[in-house]
Amino acid sequence: MDAKTSQNKIAQNKTAQNKTARARIPAKLPRPSKIQLDDLVLANKILFRFNIVDAFGHISVRDERDPKSRYLMSRHIPPGMVTAKDIVTFDMDSNPLTHVDMPQMSERYIHGEIYKLRPDVVSVVHCHARPLIPFGAAKGARLRPLTHMCGFLGCGVPIYEIREAGGMTDMLVRTAPLGKALAEVLGDKSVVLMRGHGATMVGASIQEAVFRAIFATENATIQMQAHQLAINGEVEFLSDEESAKSSKGRNVPRAWSLWKHQITAGS
Amino acid sequence: MDAKTSQNKIAQNKTAQNKTARARIPAKLPRPSKIQLDDLVLANKILFRFNIVDAFGHISVRDERDPKSRYLMSRHIPPGMVTAKDIVTFDMDSNPLTHVDMPQMSERYIHGEIYKLRPDVVSVVHCHARPLIPFGAAKGARLRPLTHMCGFLGCGVPIYEIREAGGMTDMLVRTAPLGKALAEVLGDKSVVLMRGHGATMVGASIQEAVFRAIFATENATIQMQAHQLAINGEVEFLSDEESAKSSKGRNVPRAWSLWKHQITAGS
Amino acid sequence: MDAKTSQNKIAQNKTAQNKTARARIPAKLPRPSKIQLDDLVLANKILFRFNIVDAFGHISVRDERDPKSRYLMSRHIPPGMVTAKDIVTFDMDSNPLTHVDMPQMSERYIHGEIYKLRPDVVSVVHCHARPLIPFGAAKGARLRPLTHMCGFLGCGVPIYEIREAGGMTDMLVRTAPLGKALAEVLGDKSVVLMRGHGATMVGASIQEAVFRAIFATENATIQMQAHQLAINGEVEFLSDEESAKSSKGRNVPRAWSLWKHQITAGS
Amino acid sequence: MDAKTSQNKIAQNKTAQNKTARARIPAKLPRPSKIQLDDLVLANKILFRFNIVDAFGHISVRDERDPKSRYLMSRHIPPGMVTAKDIVTFDMDSNPLTHVDMPQMSERYIHGEIYKLRPDVVSVVHCHARPLIPFGAAKGARLRPLTHMCGFLGCGVPIYEIREAGGMTDMLVRTAPLGKALAEVLGDKSVVLMRGHGATMVGASIQEAVFRAIFATENATIQMQAHQLAINGEVEFLSDEESAKSSKGRNVPRAWSLWKHQITAGS
């Protein structure tokens, strides 16, 4: 098969896929609400600004028009470049229902599979935030809450070892089964570390998922310093009760109001 | 009680509280001076710019029109967004005498209770500056002055363990008794670390409190590096006499002049 | 010989050198393509923006008009100041074929000698990126891939000890033999560390060489933290198979699209 | 003596001092050259931009109109705010010959006393660059060159312990004898660390002194990481011969050209 034949074949396959994709799309797919689109675009910009994502990483949210069967996430572009028109609607098997001719995130299964297992989760962030990576790779390390901003870590931070679900891979959650395995390791927690890769965090809103991504990363930086500073590396973390109590309150909307202000003001 | 009844009840309570609050307000409350307002707003911006505060943290100052019974601090918004019209006047029990219909900082008791115990203190900063947090959590660690800019640490930096005053809490200094306990741990010192939370520092002026917040944080960063670099972690700190002598001089106004320039010039 | 005579001699030598240089230049040297020039200038700006290069360091690319016998690289100026008109054409012995009257990079032999030994390499970056330097100097340290973005490190990262090739030098790869020795230590790998100096990385395109420079540096930072965090410094790296598999895919063009956007938008 | 009398007394003393100062000033003090003024102002801005100085620290240069008996340095303001009209001419006893009514740097004796002992030195930087401070305080630490940019450290980096010259002080080099003691500890070296304070570096030009300040600081950061990364903290430094050889060459003007470009372009 020469190069041209091969290209034709790929083009044909793509057309066939697109037809299938279009067939999947409900006749009357309601447009996402402007508020959700604006918040999702803003979330992308905030995550980029605070170095949670770089060219890679993504955030999704359940579509409020049909939260049980659809979610919203950008197409395959860097988060810092996302605009409202790049937001794709997916079904819960992570098939795109819009933008079907465009490349999509290989790892969209992270989002769909978590939504399936966690009805309480409204938004999911996947990222390669640098300070979190050592906690997924260093033997014996354990991410634990050092301040009341990070009480959501108190319930535990599991580590996803992709080798257990997929053997030797390119590390990406490229399939529904790998996504399901990740969702199962996450369990009822807020954050799951991914060895050799990054982390995924969830929230009851876009704002909470973003908050958890930023403050889990802050906690990682502080915790590394605390272990180095301590005699024998011993550190006093928040107790379970302190973690649970400090997870409530006005922190998320207050932080979001600043981040929105910073992005909007370009400051 | 259904949701609507509950909401009504909350609204009624709020109205009742506001009435009480208004009743507390002296008939002729003098306006804060423009200079104090400007300095306090500027202090908020400086603390934000140098990462001492983020969406959280606050700075207060005794109201120069009645320094024994009132202090000034912003309402419940992120420090980086504070303007003169957001500055609230509080009595020393941390009741708002202005802006009574608006949400206030949960931890305003930090400020009022310190002013009660420390007549020499004119300004108080509360923050979650990242490099200070390990010193409140790492077993055996002790924040000590490494340079003449940080001589104010030489008198000792106590650690406030909120469990001793309040048991298992959400870590916040939400009540006058918790604030009083913090003020007592601070004692006659310049800085108190708060385990699992952040730090509070005081000064004889807004400028000095800001200076101490910024340089205590600088010292923390340097000290962590010094311990790691040293054979056996042993470090030569300023002696008590060096600390005391280096706390005087022209440092505060000089630093303030630069910070003001940076904020004003937007550079 | 007085200063003036000495200066005259230098001027004469320079004129002689320039004549020789001009004699070397083919009568019809085709202009580099605009696309290559633009990409090379952009690559300089990206490397500068992400602190891979400072006033020092350089990136070259095979001239697509004659990839076997010529390469393109800026004249002797800081990367952050490079424009299209500063791009020099070199032969594979690293003689300049254009800009012959101007000072050239002392270490251009790094580029020419690697192109001679590695027909698969299209672009070469030489840099002093700070986080890479400890890995060339710390006894027992070894740069290894911690995330799927850095799979290209999995084949091994050799260290070039210039003393073996040149004895006690000023550390610079100032001659073809020193360049050849570096190319031989690099072998078939992607990155070579240079003790007491910096690093050199190669790619099948400008984009890939830039990507490897940036992510090798990211990996170094994360790896230092991981060793410190781990009990006994033990860390789980990508396996050889994971490294090989994760080196493919859409990472390079996606990252490049963001970096280009950031430079172009001035954001 | 009441406050007013005291103030009068201070004012009288100041007038007396100023009269003495004016008496010292030669009748025909030549204006500094514009080139030197511009370079010195630019040096202040570069040192500020690269966090070598903050509100504190200073750089001086011998006055090229009379290099044996005068030097130039800003009056008592933060380096980032210095303009040409703030440049004061001092004699070698560090008496101001211009701007005599204005406050001067307490530590100007650092500069005058080094110029007296080191005829080869044309420019002096005093700073509190953060990464250098641990090397002056950590027991057993020794700043040594890790890259060819820092060969100037190879001759050794002594530490000035002010207690030896002045006992328990406020750490400042406030007098000529303390300045002379510092100059003697510096000896024929390029950099002297000051325990509990900062560092002082010298050069044969403004450009070289700035270069050494910036790269000594870079070396400190890298060296701390290298020790942490190494098995047993063992690191391969530049040999004496490598240090000496790499201290020559085109590095200083090339770096300066970039820094000037960055400041001028406001980039």
Side-chain angles (χ1 to χ4, degrees):
Chain A
M1 191 162 67
D2 64 11
K4 197 168 176 188
T5 315
S6 164
Q7 274 197 344
N8 281 345
K9 195 145 185 131
I10 288 171
Q12 282 164 19
N13 280 343
K14 206 171 175 185
T15 308
Q17 278 173 13
N18 290 347
K19 274 185 192 161
T20 315
R22 283 196 192 102
R24 263 198 319 264
I25 302 172
K28 298 187 200 170
L29 183 69
R31 285 289 302 154
S33 78
K34 186 169 183 313
I35 288 176
Q36 265 204 311
L37 284 179
D38 287 351
D39 278 353
L40 192 54
V41 170
L42 183 59
N44 273 279
K45 291 188 196 300
I46 291 170
L47 292 171
F48 178 58
R49 183 191 174 112
F50 288 98
N51 296 313
I52 304 305
V53 297
D54 49 3
F56 309 95
H58 15 91
I59 175 170
S60 70
V61 64
R62 285 181 191 269
D63 183 347
E64 65 184 9
R65 303 284 163 93
D66 189 355
K68 286 194 179 154
S69 46
R70 292 198 306 266
Y71 68 90
L72 309 174
M73 187 168 71
S74 90
R75 63 186 179 95
H76 183 264
I77 56 171
M81 297 169 68
V82 169
T83 65
K85 70 177 201 299
D86 301 308
I87 302 298
V88 182
T89 303
F90 293 92
D91 66 23
M92 286 307 173
D93 292 326
S94 297
N95 297 306
L97 304 181
T98 65
H99 304 68
V100 291
D101 298 329
M102 295 179 174
Q104 303 301 340
M105 302 291 187
S106 315
E107 299 195 292
R108 55 194 182 274
Y109 305 98
I110 292 172
H111 303 262
E113 299 305 313
I114 288 176
Y115 290 128
K116 284 182 192 170
L117 283 190
R118 287 281 298 270
D120 61 311
V121 166
V122 175
S123 181
V124 176
V125 171
H126 169 63
C127 67
H128 309 160
R130 304 301 180 263
L132 292 173
I133 293 175
F135 284 89
K139 299 288 176 62
R142 203 176 139 205
L143 188 66
R144 296 181 64 189
L146 256 172
T147 86
H148 61 308
M149 290 291 151
C150 304
F152 60 89
L153 299 174
C155 56
V157 182
I159 300 177
Y160 173 66
E161 171 50 86
I162 194 169
R163 286 176 197 162
E164 288 171 15
M168 290 296 158
T169 64
D170 69 353
M171 310 303 288
L172 296 182
V173 181
R174 285 189 181 280
T175 66
L178 288 172
K180 188 166 179 246
L182 176 69
E184 285 168 350
V185 174
L186 171 66
D188 62 350
K189 308 297 189 284
S190 306
V191 179
V192 56
L193 300 173
M194 302 159 80
R195 195 270 309 160
H197 184 156
T200 296
M201 44 282 293
V202 300
S205 64
I206 288 176
Q207 288 78 356
E208 189 175 62
V210 169
F211 183 92
R212 287 175 174 178
I214 291 175
F215 278 96
T217 303
E218 292 272 7
N219 197 87
T221 300
I222 300 169
Q223 191 180 339
M224 287 190 278
Q225 294 173 336
H227 285 302
Q228 288 170 42
L229 184 63
I231 311 295
N232 302 324
E234 207 184 333
V235 171
E236 186 72 30
F237 294 99
L238 263 61
S239 71
D240 291 350
E241 194 176 339
E242 287 169 339
S243 295
K245 284 183 172 169
S246 64
S247 296
K248 291 157 198 160
R250 300 180 292 180
N251 290 341
V252 173
R254 184 164 171 183
W256 184 263
S257 75
L258 175 65
W259 298 331
K260 185 172 183 173
H261 173 78
Q262 290 180 283
I263 298 292
T264 311
S267 71
Chain B
M1 192 161 67
D2 64 11
K4 195 164 176 191
T5 316
S6 166
Q7 274 197 343
N8 281 346
K9 193 141 189 135
I10 288 170
Q12 282 165 19
N13 279 344
K14 204 167 175 190
T15 310
Q17 277 173 13
N18 290 347
K19 276 186 190 161
T20 316
R22 286 199 191 97
R24 262 197 320 264
I25 301 172
K28 298 187 200 173
L29 182 68
R31 284 288 303 153
S33 79
K34 184 169 183 316
I35 288 176
Q36 265 205 313
L37 284 179
D38 287 352
D39 278 352
L40 191 55
V41 169
L42 183 59
N44 273 279
K45 291 188 196 301
I46 291 170
L47 292 171
F48 179 58
R49 183 190 175 112
F50 288 98
N51 296 312
I52 304 304
V53 297
D54 49 2
F56 309 95
H58 15 89
I59 176 169
S60 70
V61 63
R62 285 182 190 270
D63 182 348
E64 65 184 10
R65 303 286 163 91
D66 189 355
K68 286 195 179 154
S69 46
R70 292 198 306 267
Y71 70 89
L72 309 174
M73 186 167 72
S74 90
R75 63 188 179 92
H76 183 263
I77 56 171
M81 296 169 69
V82 169
T83 65
K85 69 178 201 300
D86 302 307
I87 302 297
V88 182
T89 304
F90 294 91
D91 67 23
M92 286 307 173
D93 292 327
S94 299
N95 297 306
L97 304 181
T98 65
H99 304 68
V100 292
D101 298 329
M102 294 178 175
Q104 303 301 341
M105 301 291 186
S106 315
E107 300 195 291
R108 57 196 181 272
Y109 304 99
I110 292 172
H111 302 261
E113 298 306 311
I114 288 176
Y115 290 128
K116 283 183 193 169
L117 282 191
R118 287 281 298 271
D120 61 312
V121 167
V122 175
S123 182
V124 176
V125 171
H126 169 64
C127 67
H128 309 159
R130 303 301 181 262
L132 292 172
I133 293 175
F135 284 89
K139 298 289 177 61
R142 202 175 139 206
L143 188 65
R144 297 182 62 189
L146 256 174
T147 86
H148 61 307
M149 288 294 151
C150 305
F152 61 89
L153 299 174
C155 55
V157 182
I159 298 177
Y160 173 66
E161 172 50 87
I162 194 169
R163 287 177 196 160
E164 290 172 13
M168 290 298 159
T169 64
D170 68 355
M171 311 302 289
L172 297 182
V173 181
R174 286 189 180 281
T175 66
L178 287 172
K180 188 165 180 246
L182 176 69
E184 284 168 351
V185 175
L186 170 66
D188 61 352
K189 308 298 189 284
S190 306
V191 178
V192 57
L193 300 173
M194 302 159 80
R195 196 270 310 159
H197 183 157
T200 296
M201 45 281 293
V202 300
S205 64
I206 288 177
Q207 288 79 354
E208 190 174 63
V210 168
F211 182 92
R212 287 174 174 180
I214 290 176
F215 278 96
T217 303
E218 291 272 8
N219 197 88
T221 300
I222 300 169
Q223 190 179 340
M224 286 190 279
Q225 295 173 335
H227 285 303
Q228 289 170 42
L229 185 63
I231 311 295
N232 302 325
E234 205 184 333
V235 172
E236 186 71 32
F237 294 100
L238 264 62
S239 71
D240 290 350
E241 196 176 339
E242 287 169 339
S243 295
K245 284 183 172 169
S246 63
S247 297
K248 293 158 196 159
R250 300 180 292 180
N251 289 342
V252 174
R254 185 165 171 183
W256 184 263
S257 76
L258 175 65
W259 297 332
K260 185 172 183 173
H261 174 78
Q262 290 180 282
I263 297 292
T264 310
S267 72
Chain C
M1 191 162 68
D2 66 8
K4 197 167 177 188
T5 315
S6 165
Q7 274 196 341
N8 281 347
K9 195 147 186 128
I10 287 170
Q12 283 164 19
N13 279 343
K14 204 169 174 187
T15 309
Q17 277 173 12
N18 290 348
K19 275 185 191 162
T20 315
R22 285 198 192 100
R24 259 196 324 261
I25 301 173
K28 298 187 200 171
L29 183 69
R31 283 290 302 156
S33 78
K34 185 169 183 314
I35 288 176
Q36 266 205 312
L37 284 179
D38 287 351
D39 278 353
L40 191 55
V41 169
L42 182 59
N44 273 279
K45 291 189 197 300
I46 291 170
L47 292 170
F48 178 58
R49 183 190 173 111
F50 289 98
N51 295 313
I52 304 304
V53 297
D54 49 2
F56 309 96
H58 15 89
I59 175 169
S60 71
V61 64
R62 285 183 191 268
D63 184 347
E64 64 184 9
R65 304 285 163 95
D66 188 356
K68 286 193 177 157
S69 46
R70 293 199 305 268
Y71 70 88
L72 309 174
M73 187 168 72
S74 91
R75 62 186 181 94
H76 184 264
I77 57 172
M81 297 169 69
V82 169
T83 64
K85 67 177 204 299
D86 302 308
I87 302 297
V88 183
T89 303
F90 293 91
D91 66 23
M92 287 306 173
D93 292 327
S94 297
N95 297 305
L97 304 180
T98 64
H99 303 68
V100 291
D101 298 329
M102 295 177 172
Q104 304 300 341
M105 302 290 184
S106 316
E107 300 195 290
R108 56 194 182 275
Y109 305 100
I110 292 172
H111 303 262
E113 299 306 312
I114 288 175
Y115 290 127
K116 284 182 192 170
L117 284 191
R118 287 282 298 271
D120 61 311
V121 166
V122 175
S123 181
V124 176
V125 171
H126 169 64
C127 68
H128 309 160
R130 304 300 180 265
L132 292 173
I133 293 174
F135 284 89
K139 298 286 176 64
R142 202 175 139 206
L143 188 65
R144 296 183 64 190
L146 256 174
T147 87
H148 61 310
M149 289 293 151
C150 305
F152 61 89
L153 298 174
C155 55
V157 182
I159 299 177
Y160 173 66
E161 171 49 89
I162 196 169
R163 285 177 197 160
E164 289 171 14
M168 289 298 161
T169 64
D170 69 354
M171 310 303 289
L172 296 183
V173 181
R174 285 189 181 281
T175 66
L178 287 171
K180 188 165 179 249
L182 175 68
E184 285 167 350
V185 174
L186 170 65
D188 61 352
K189 308 297 189 284
S190 307
V191 178
V192 57
L193 300 173
M194 303 159 78
R195 196 270 308 161
H197 183 158
T200 296
M201 44 282 293
V202 300
S205 65
I206 288 176
Q207 288 79 356
E208 189 176 63
V210 168
F211 182 92
R212 287 175 174 178
I214 290 175
F215 278 96
T217 304
E218 292 271 8
N219 197 87
T221 300
I222 300 169
Q223 190 179 339
M224 288 191 277
Q225 294 172 337
H227 286 304
Q228 289 169 43
L229 184 63
I231 311 296
N232 302 324
E234 206 184 332
V235 171
E236 186 71 31
F237 294 100
L238 263 61
S239 72
D240 291 351
E241 196 177 339
E242 287 168 339
S243 295
K245 285 183 172 169
S246 65
S247 295
K248 291 157 197 160
R250 300 180 293 181
N251 290 342
V252 173
R254 184 166 171 180
W256 184 263
S257 76
L258 175 65
W259 298 332
K260 184 173 184 173
H261 174 78
Q262 290 180 283
I263 298 292
T264 311
S267 72
Chain D
M1 190 163 67
D2 66 10
K4 196 164 177 190
T5 315
S6 165
Q7 274 198 340
N8 280 347
K9 194 143 190 135
I10 287 170
Q12 282 165 20
N13 279 344
K14 203 166 175 190
T15 310
Q17 277 173 14
N18 290 348
K19 274 185 189 161
T20 316
R22 286 200 190 95
R24 263 198 320 265
I25 302 173
K28 297 187 202 171
L29 182 69
R31 284 289 302 155
S33 78
K34 184 170 184 315
I35 288 176
Q36 266 205 313
L37 284 179
D38 287 352
D39 278 352
L40 192 54
V41 169
L42 183 59
N44 272 280
K45 290 188 197 300
I46 291 170
L47 292 170
F48 179 57
R49 183 190 174 113
F50 289 98
N51 296 312
I52 304 305
V53 298
D54 50 1
F56 309 95
H58 16 88
I59 175 169
S60 70
V61 63
R62 285 182 190 270
D63 183 349
E64 64 183 11
R65 305 284 163 93
D66 189 355
K68 287 195 178 156
S69 47
R70 293 198 305 267
Y71 70 89
L72 310 174
M73 187 167 72
S74 90
R75 64 188 180 92
H76 184 264
I77 57 171
M81 297 169 68
V82 169
T83 64
K85 67 177 205 298
D86 302 308
I87 302 297
V88 182
T89 302
F90 292 92
D91 67 23
M92 286 307 172
D93 291 327
S94 298
N95 297 307
L97 305 180
T98 65
H99 304 68
V100 291
D101 297 329
M102 295 177 174
Q104 303 301 341
M105 301 291 185
S106 315
E107 300 196 290
R108 56 194 182 274
Y109 305 99
I110 291 172
H111 302 262
E113 298 306 312
I114 288 176
Y115 290 129
K116 283 183 191 169
L117 283 191
R118 287 281 297 271
D120 61 312
V121 166
V122 176
S123 181
V124 176
V125 171
H126 169 65
C127 68
H128 309 160
R130 303 301 181 262
L132 291 172
I133 293 174
F135 284 89
K139 297 288 176 63
R142 201 175 139 207
L143 188 65
R144 295 183 63 191
L146 256 175
T147 87
H148 61 307
M149 289 294 150
C150 305
F152 61 89
L153 298 175
C155 56
V157 182
I159 299 176
Y160 173 66
E161 172 50 87
I162 195 169
R163 287 177 196 160
E164 289 171 14
M168 290 298 159
T169 64
D170 69 355
M171 310 302 289
L172 297 182
V173 180
R174 286 190 179 280
T175 65
L178 287 172
K180 188 164 179 251
L182 176 69
E184 285 168 349
V185 174
L186 170 66
D188 61 352
K189 307 298 189 284
S190 306
V191 178
V192 57
L193 300 173
M194 302 159 78
R195 196 270 309 160
H197 184 159
T200 296
M201 44 282 292
V202 300
S205 65
I206 288 177
Q207 287 80 356
E208 190 174 64
V210 168
F211 182 92
R212 287 175 173 178
I214 290 175
F215 278 96
T217 303
E218 291 272 8
N219 197 88
T221 300
I222 300 169
Q223 190 178 340
M224 287 191 278
Q225 294 174 335
H227 286 303
Q228 288 170 43
L229 184 63
I231 311 295
N232 301 324
E234 205 184 331
V235 172
E236 186 70 32
F237 294 101
L238 264 61
S239 72
D240 291 351
E241 197 177 338
E242 287 169 338
S243 295
K245 285 183 172 169
S246 64
S247 296
K248 291 156 196 159
R250 300 181 292 181
N251 289 342
V252 173
R254 184 165 172 183
W256 184 262
S257 76
L258 176 65
W259 297 332
K260 184 172 184 173
H261 173 78
Q262 290 179 283
I263 298 293
T264 310
S267 73

